Amino acid sequence: MDKNLIQRTISGLVYVLVIAICTTPLGEHIFSSFLPEVKQQYLFYGLITFFLVVGLYECIRIMKFDNGIYKWLVFPVAAIIYYRFSKRFFYHGFFFDVNFSEILSFALIPIAVITLFKYSRELYFENGKLIFTVIYLALPFGFALGLPKFSTLDPDKPFTLEVFMLFVLIWSSDTFAYLTGKFFGKHKMAPKISPKKTWEGFAGGVLLTLILGFFVEKYFPELRGNWMIVGLLISIFAPLGDLVESQLKRSFAVKDSGNIIPGHGGVLDRLDSFIICAPVIYLYFILEKLF
């Protein structure tokens, strides 16, 4: 058997297991016998923080920062922004208010994406690299903290599965799109950025992710929102996330963001769809609550 396939399979299974432990009550259950003070929200926060830190490092590597002040400002600036979300996470402050700074934060993400595709020369300047990196990573991972529900005061309100199901639907969207594109794909979606993506694959990903979203909605009614709508949003924005990271690597002539996951690349290679989908789903949850 191909050694690379074995490596990819093992590292992929470990990756999925880590996600499951950190985004479902399974993690707290595993630790309860020997570390009862470890709560599920701590595992989830640790996972998202780890993704942010490694993602920042990979983005610095991809964009080839000079060894100057802007390179060293990335982590503290991102930490300040992420700290604001962290306070809301631990004090259950999400979904109680939508302020101007949060609205501005949402607007900055599409601006950063448009800059990458239309005005990529701006990212060759060190200040442009700094601004893009912070917006591209600190904001989405910050919004990801607001997706699950939990209560440290009420044991009848355990940590919910929104983030785990988000990962499941992203994986299904990618898998369905790949398989549909492989067997039926003829029309390229973005041949210069991602040659393997086709419109037929995109359509297959949308259809089958909608079906899976229906079953999530049916069997997990405690989750926020309507998961057929969530499935539709994921099937649309997950491919965009992949294109954004592909364009970023293409702009700076880099093949992989890293090698932290053997056979799969770096954190940004695995989480490109999540980075775009997390704030989109968070925004949907807010709109669904308001209207």
Side-chain angles (χ1 to χ4, degrees):
M1 185 179 290
D2 186 358
K3 289 184 178 180
N4 187 49
L5 177 60
I6 296 174
Q7 182 188 60
R8 284 177 57 85
T9 301
I10 293 174
S11 60
L13 290 174
V14 171
Y15 171 69
V16 172
L17 180 61
V18 170
I19 296 295
I21 289 174
C22 294
T23 61
T24 74
L26 174 65
E28 184 174 338
H29 178 72
I30 291 173
F31 282 93
S32 62
S33 60
F34 58 96
L35 286 174
E37 65 274 13
V38 175
K39 302 301 181 183
Q40 191 60 49
Q41 59 266 29
Y42 301 155
L43 295 172
F44 174 63
Y45 182 78
L47 176 73
I48 297 300
T49 305
F50 172 77
F51 284 155
L52 172 62
V53 172
V54 177
L56 290 171
Y57 172 79
E58 290 181 355
C59 208
I60 289 172
R61 174 182 169 272
I62 291 173
M63 302 183 79
K64 301 178 173 69
F65 276 70
D66 292 337
N67 194 23
I69 186 172
Y70 290 103
K71 177 180 179 179
W72 302 108
L73 279 175
V74 169
F75 286 97
V77 172
I80 291 170
I81 294 172
Y82 189 65
Y83 172 71
R84 180 181 176 88
F85 289 98
S86 300
K87 285 181 63 179
R88 297 180 68 188
F89 175 74
F90 285 110
Y91 288 97
H92 310 275
F94 284 101
F95 296 100
F96 287 93
D97 67 309
V98 181
N99 51 46
F100 175 77
S101 62
E102 190 166 87
I103 295 172
L104 177 61
S105 298
F106 280 120
L108 290 175
I109 297 173
I111 290 173
V113 171
I114 292 170
T115 300
L116 175 63
F117 282 98
K118 294 293 186 180
Y119 309 102
S120 58
R121 288 182 178 273
E122 298 296 327
L123 302 183
Y124 296 137
F125 299 100
E126 295 300 295
N127 57 349
K129 295 176 183 179
L130 168 65
I131 295 170
F132 177 85
T133 300
V134 171
I135 293 173
Y136 178 54
L137 295 174
L139 293 179
F141 284 123
F143 283 122
L145 295 177
L147 295 177
K149 296 184 292 182
F150 68 93
S151 174
T152 53
L153 304 176
D154 186 352
D156 293 328
K157 294 181 179 179
F159 195 89
T160 52
L161 301 175
E162 283 86 355
V163 176
F164 179 71
M165 290 304 177
L166 174 58
F167 273 108
V168 169
L169 290 184
I170 288 174
W171 295 333
S172 68
S173 175
D174 290 344
T175 303
F176 294 149
Y178 169 76
L179 293 176
T180 307
K182 182 178 180 179
F183 291 106
F184 304 105
K186 293 181 179 179
H187 301 87
K188 302 293 184 182
M189 180 184 292
K192 292 183 178 180
I193 302 174
S194 186
K196 294 183 180 180
K197 287 192 179 299
T198 64
W199 285 108
E200 290 82 1
F202 173 76
V206 170
L207 177 61
L208 293 170
T209 305
L210 273 174
I211 294 173
L212 184 57
F214 167 79
F215 287 104
V216 174
E217 176 69 16
K218 181 177 180 179
Y219 292 107
F220 298 92
E222 72 277 7
L223 300 181
R224 285 189 175 108
N226 183 307
W227 278 75
M228 288 193 70
I229 297 176
V230 172
L232 176 63
L233 292 172
I234 289 173
S235 62
I236 293 172
F237 285 95
L240 174 61
D242 180 59
L243 291 176
V244 169
E245 203 242 354
S246 295
Q247 176 66 13
L248 179 63
K249 292 188 294 187
R250 180 173 176 270
S251 297
F252 292 91
V254 174
K255 182 180 179 182
D256 294 317
S257 68
N259 56 8
I260 194 171
I261 308 174
H264 291 270
V267 162
L268 297 185
D269 293 323
R270 292 301 91 206
L271 295 177
D272 48 10
S273 297
F274 181 83
I275 288 168
I276 297 299
C277 286
V280 169
I281 302 307
Y282 177 78
L283 178 60
Y284 161 66
F285 286 162
I286 285 181
L287 295 177
E288 190 262 348
K289 180 175 181 258
L290 292 177
F291 299 105

